[in-house]
Amino acid sequence: MNIMGIIASQQREGNTAFIVNKLLEGARENGAQTQSFRFSDLDIKPCRGCWACHKNDQGCVIKDDMQKIYNAMEYTDIIILGLPIYMGQMSAQGKIFTDRLFAQRSPRFSPFFKDNAVKRQIVLSFNQGNPNADLFKPYIDYTSQMFKTLEFEVKEIPVVTGLRSGSIYDRKDLCRDLKKIGSGLVVPDKNPAA
């Protein structure tokens, strides 16, 4: 099983990276192959809205580091998308990633929908400074529905709160819980090699 993490934050070693890495660590400990992409290490431009990706089979015409993510998605069973909440919604980096999915994914009601599109699984991992987990629930529910509309199966939606109250590295219970979620994503191989 292949699981890919996307850290949609400019903070290279921030809270979002910590959370995604713990989820991936739990998956690895249960036998998954993992990789991750950090927006802080990538040059990914916003969608131009040019529709060139749907005029033929060329895909996205923007040649930047999003091409690496498109390629990795071809072999990925589950995507873990780490989304810090800024100003009540996902980070700009998360929105850029989501918008750039347009080159590959269209809703069922769209004239660009492809019946043979592989249904991907996704974990939407949100984090916020505020301790109230319900504060941004309407936005989190909206985001989940948007990914379902794009034919993703939303597996988990962990929301990590209270990140202004001390270091995330000191929260041992959080580390354990994130690794448990990551481990639970791994489906045992039904046909193990002999």
Side-chain angles (χ1 to χ4, degrees):
M1 176 168 251
N2 294 311
I3 300 179
M4 174 174 72
I6 299 174
I7 300 163
S9 169
Q10 282 303 112
Q11 302 297 321
R12 193 169 202 292
E13 299 295 332
N15 293 328
T16 306
F18 178 87
I19 293 164
V20 170
N21 288 331
K22 286 297 173 191
L23 291 165
L24 291 173
E25 185 179 332
R28 261 191 319 276
E29 288 175 358
N30 206 18
Q33 299 294 315
T34 66
Q35 66 177 319
S36 65
F37 293 93
R38 299 170 193 251
F39 258 78
S40 60
D41 297 337
L42 301 170
D43 176 27
I44 300 179
K45 295 172 179 49
C47 176
R48 295 178 190 159
C50 67
W51 293 73
C53 57
H54 290 296
K55 291 180 180 159
N56 55 41
D57 288 333
Q58 70 182 346
C60 185
V61 296
I62 303 172
K63 301 307 177 201
D64 60 7
D65 289 336
M66 188 67 185
Q67 302 302 324
K68 296 176 186 176
I69 294 177
Y70 289 145
N71 292 337
M73 284 176 63
E74 293 295 317
Y75 306 100
T76 297
D77 299 301
I78 301 175
I79 298 167
I80 297 173
L81 180 56
L83 298 165
I85 294 179
Y86 297 149
M87 301 301 287
Q89 54 190 319
M90 72 174 75
S91 64
Q93 294 79 18
K95 184 67 168 113
I96 288 170
F97 167 78
T98 304
D99 288 349
R100 292 289 298 277
L101 289 175
F102 181 68
Q104 291 190 332
R105 307 194 72 83
S106 294
R108 192 168 289 277
F109 56 79
S110 166
F112 305 112
F113 176 75
K114 295 177 183 158
D115 257 334
N116 63 350
V118 176
K119 187 157 190 161
R120 299 269 181 244
Q121 297 178 337
I122 194 163
V123 172
L124 300 172
S125 174
F126 289 91
N127 63 84
Q128 64 189 48
N130 192 287
N132 181 356
D134 292 327
L135 184 61
F136 302 113
K137 186 174 182 332
Y139 179 75
I140 291 168
D141 291 344
Y142 161 81
T143 304
S144 174
Q145 185 56 50
M146 180 195 56
F147 276 95
K148 289 175 185 174
T149 301
L150 291 174
E151 301 293 318
F152 282 90
E153 178 186 343
V154 178
K155 295 285 290 176
E156 297 277 347
I157 308 175
V159 179
V160 178
T161 63
L163 294 175
R164 291 192 192 114
S165 304
S167 172
I168 195 169
Y169 295 94
D170 296 334
R171 292 176 60 178
K172 303 299 180 203
D173 59 327
L174 178 61
C175 294
R176 182 191 65 240
D177 293 346
L178 291 170
K179 286 173 65 174
K180 183 176 179 183
I181 292 169
S183 177
L185 297 174
V186 181
V187 177
D189 187 1
K190 293 179 182 172
N191 299 317

